[in-house]
Amino acid sequence: MTRIAGGIIDRSIELNFSFDGIRYRGHPGDTLASALLANGVRLMGRSFKYHRPRGVISAGSEEPNALVELRTGARQEPNTRATVAELFDGLEARSQNRWPSLAFDAMAINDWCSNLLTAGFYYKTFMWPKAFWEKVYEPMIRKAAGLGNLSGEPDPDQYDKGFLHCDLLVIGGGPAGLAAALTAGRAGADVILADDDFAMGGRLLVERHVIDNGWLVQTLFELHNMANVRMMSRTTVFGTFDHGIHGAVEKVCDHLPTPTEGKPRQTLWRIYAKRSLNCTGATERPIAFRDNDRPGIMLAGALRAYANRWAVAVDQRVTVFTNNDDGHRTARDLVSKGLQVTLIDTRGTPRLAGVDVLHGVVIGSRGRLCLRSISVRLASGEIREIQCGALGMSGGWNPNVHLGSHHGGRPIWNDQIAAFCPSRGAAGSAAGKFSTRDVLASGVSGAIEALATLGITAPKIELPEAENECVDITPMWHVPGKGRAWLDFQNDVTVKDVKLAHQENFRSVEHLKRYTTLGMATDQGKTANTNALAVMAELTGRTISDTGTTIYRPPFTPVPIATFAGSSRGRNFRPYRLTPAHKWAEEQGAVFSESGNWLRADYFKLPGETTWRESVDREVRAVRSAVGICDVSTLGKIDVQGHDAAEFLNRVYCNTIATLPVGRTRYGLMLREDGIVRDDGTVARLAHDHFVLTSTTANAASVLRHMEFCHQCLWPELDVHLIAVTDAWAQFAVAGPKSRDLLTNVVEGIGLSNEQFPFMACAEITVASGLPARLFRISFSGEHAYEIAVPSRYGDALVRRLMVAGRAFGVTPYGTEALGVLRIEKGHPAGAELNGRTTAANLGLGKMVSLKKDSIGMVLSQRKGLKENEHRLVGLQPVDRSVVMLAGSHLMNAMGVVNASRSQGWVSSVCYSPHVGQPIALGFLMRGEQRHGEVIRVVDPVASTEAAVRVVSPHFIDPEGVRLRV
């Protein structure tokens, strides 16, 4: 064990965990990384391209190396940063991107072939021979791609989504964030303080003697007890978006073996903030030198953090390589922990008590699976070998500019700290302030300025005494020399790769990123970008400011797809709706399918029926010969009322609605603005100022949205009100020659003879001794038919009443499959024909477009291009009655070449008709109305099928419509 004194872990409790099958022990307060280091484990992963041994480099979310798989089975989670994985008892972790083991990885042969795998090698290597791409290169690349593995099993945990609102969102719970939240909270503002750590405090948790010890505890206590402040630990704000919206992920139960019952594992928050303040701190950057990627080489600030917060000494012999004063702070803290420390400073600064200070640079390292020694070139030119097991690199600190960049903010170069800073909306180290006093003051002033724009006056708060050391840095980005010096540890990008990109003219920062893969994957350039940009600036002779930087995009850290999905998965991925008579349909043996968001009965299977066709054919015959009942509650239903309701509908529908008498129903056709058919349905006039219209199931929402747009934006002066009543009414089609006989025993107060209730009539009626209902004499099947509607709560009771009343007449429930056969036999268009590219003329309904009035789509429906489109709706019957046609097939002339340019049309709907006794279809054919009787071909190039079919009328059953009106 390499535990040392101090730290803020709970040593009274031991936690057992495993890494690659080996058992270890840690304590509450540990991360997986700190616990592994405490157990002497430095090798934690392999790099992506060269599979070089890698250890932890940081102590936070910027970690590029220590990516592991957590948990097992369905809960297996790949690519988790060990530095932020909170330790719990029983945690199982595994290294990834290696085979057969972490210590011996066969893919490390890539490192020996590094000269062949330089920057942009994939653009050059896989171009020849061309035939190799599909069978050799692509499979090989796909197999090598990625780091960790998914289990492939359904995730058993739940994920949630939520919405939050605040005056001020403070991102980051370090000293600046705490000071800002305290200032805003005392001013009475609604505040959210979010931090990705499980403990608030930021760098205050890892520093020694920088602030009054009691301030942190007192501040956290006060903030937790403020009703107007919401403290959100374990919460990462991963993106900043338009209109003050921020995306945040709260790890509700990730620190537990399994989520607490009833709680989600993670919650995705959409935070609406009037103002936000980035107090996200800064990320230390490494210094590139030969072989600076060995396990045991890490950021100096991380060494300090592991020692002070987690009481971990990576090794007893430590070297710190620095170009700034912060490296000296690390050296002092490590010496105070009893470690043997050597400090190498590029600036030649004075000695420190207890520290061997050398003026020089590190030029190399040794050690296979962990660091053993380093080579140092002193200012005098002497080369010295230093034995050590840990090396801390301190090349300066980069303010975290990512969230500011998400919303278009361009980072600004600051020569004083040699780093890019956010252009606005930041405080503390994120704004380039590095002394604790300046960080606290910046948090207070940032909150005051943000709240002032909201008209909230926030007085300054009293701040504690804090260190105020100045920042002194002499930039050194890399140590020139032979060998490979690593810039991007995760993607294996070296100084040589940047030089090659420069040589091959990929000098733009965006080209550099994509050519070398710099700053991609989970790292997103947090530790790599600035150094790489500095190298490119040296090569081009420009300043780093002129060279520029890439603009970072969300997410700041990876977000699991399950978190984005929330509860929208499985059956909830596309929520379904049940009709009021769903239970009744289940009892009848219904087989359901999705129609829009609804579950509708496809067909009703009876005992002894072995195929769905048997059931459907039986239902179709029953409707044609006796009577059938179909649940059509899913049809979109819109109640339209108002003095100008008739005029409004007259403008929305292309055919005339204003002349529709009260008590009558009319088929309505709705066009888009471009003249293409939007939807069809029926319009029933119940009173002078009251209409009820229906739309297709799938288009119910879009039709209502279109009508609302027309009302609110096009004709707001019209007195009309629209109400969606699809859910308010249960509706059933009663179709067949005996439908009148059945309904006579159900409806009250109205006669159903042709004289009393003719075809296309409608009325408000009662059933069951006074229950309000609506009756429409309309038909989708081509038979004598009605649709009866009652309030939804009575739908189940009504259909059961109808079934009882229909027993004497052979009543049969039928589903959407039979409904489809019935409507194809009759030639009624449906969704397959109303596919967003057909016109009224295509459907044979061109005369419905009234030219005597203005309506949406009327003018553009008369365009030459649409009028010359001669595709017309036709019926199709195979010459060979056994041939099965496929919807989507092309229609071709009887003879000639088959290609797209010679296509005469297409097949839209296909079914087997038990009345015609063979498969039939509807389709669109050039000059179709003139070609009845002609034999053409149905061709499906995909299925390699071809058959002769005869063009007929689309009305296979009762073309004169006699059955409708009897």
Side-chain angles (χ1 to χ4, degrees), residues 799-871:
V799 72
R800 295 178 189 275
R801 177 82 175 265
L802 292 171
M803 290 295 291
V804 170
R807 285 175 185 168
F809 309 107
V811 67
T812 299
Y814 67 98
T816 56
E817 287 289 346
L819 188 66
V821 173
L822 293 166
R823 70 97 182 169
I824 293 174
E825 289 180 338
K826 185 59 181 174
H828 281 165
E833 287 71 44
L834 309 178
N835 61 2
R837 60 175 184 165
T838 53
T839 66
N842 294 148
L843 297 166
L845 304 175
K847 293 182 180 179
M848 288 187 65
V849 182
S850 174
L851 303 181
K852 298 179 180 179
K853 67 179 182 72
D854 189 19
S855 63
I856 290 180
M858 182 273 289
V859 173
L860 291 184
S861 72
Q862 305 304 306
R863 284 179 292 168
K864 182 179 179 181
L866 293 187
K867 297 190 73 172
E868 290 181 353
N869 182 353
E870 297 181 347
H871 287 97

Side-chain angles (χ1 to χ4, degrees), residues 746-748 766-772 801:
V746 176
V747 302
E748 300 168 345
T766 61
V767 296
S769 302
L771 176 66
R801 177 82 175 265

Side-chain angles (χ1 to χ4, degrees), residues 192-412:
I192 293 176
L193 175 60
D195 191 86
D196 60 356
D197 204 337
F198 53 86
M200 293 278 189
R203 293 297 298 183
L204 295 180
L205 301 177
V206 303
E207 303 292 0
R208 298 173 64 249
H209 312 308
V210 296
I211 197 171
D212 175 16
N213 290 335
W215 184 83
L216 175 60
V217 175
Q218 293 168 4
T219 298
L220 290 175
F221 179 81
E222 183 174 351
L223 289 173
H224 275 293
N225 286 280
M226 284 185 177
N228 57 318
V229 176
R230 184 185 183 110
M231 303 281 283
M232 300 182 69
S233 58
R234 297 188 179 97
T235 302
T236 301
V237 177
F238 64 82
T240 302
F241 306 95
D242 291 342
H243 312 300
I245 298 174
H246 296 73
V249 174
E250 181 181 8
K251 296 179 179 179
V252 181
C253 294
D254 268 11
H255 60 293
L256 303 174
T258 58
T260 304
E261 186 174 355
K263 284 192 175 183
R265 178 174 169 182
Q266 295 182 358
T267 299
L268 178 68
W269 293 105
R270 179 179 288 193
I271 302 175
Y272 291 80
K274 295 178 182 177
R275 295 293 182 271
S276 65
L277 189 63
N278 288 347
C279 302
T280 49
T283 298
E284 195 170 17
R285 57 178 177 251
I287 300 174
F289 59 88
R290 182 175 182 174
D291 295 329
N292 62 325
D293 64 330
R294 300 191 192 281
I297 300 177
M298 60 180 65
L299 299 172
L303 277 175
R304 187 162 83 239
Y306 286 117
N308 290 335
R309 178 175 176 180
W310 290 288
V312 173
V314 179
D315 196 87
Q316 289 298 313
R317 294 177 300 177
V318 180
T319 302
V320 176
F321 178 28
T322 185
N323 63 4
N324 66 90
D325 290 343
D326 195 72
H328 290 242
R329 175 179 290 178
T330 296
R332 287 196 302 267
D333 284 6
L334 295 181
V335 166
S336 72
K337 297 293 184 179
L339 305 184
Q340 181 182 332
V341 180
T342 300
L343 178 65
I344 302 165
D345 195 320
T346 63
R347 304 167 300 169
T349 51
R351 295 181 62 84
L352 291 174
V355 179
D356 186 10
V357 180
L358 302 178
H359 181 198
V361 295
V362 179
I363 59 173
S365 68
R366 289 178 178 81
R368 191 174 75 87
L369 298 180
C370 64
L371 180 67
R372 299 299 181 192
S373 66
I374 60 171
S375 297
V376 179
R377 184 174 63 234
L378 302 179
S380 63
E382 175 190 351
I383 305 297
R384 183 177 299 183
E385 194 80 8
I386 298 177
Q387 302 297 316
C388 60
L391 170 67
M393 304 174 288
S394 181
W397 290 77
N398 295 325
N400 289 322
V401 302
H402 299 67
L403 291 178
S405 298
H406 292 176
H407 208 225
R410 280 277 176 184
I412 300 171

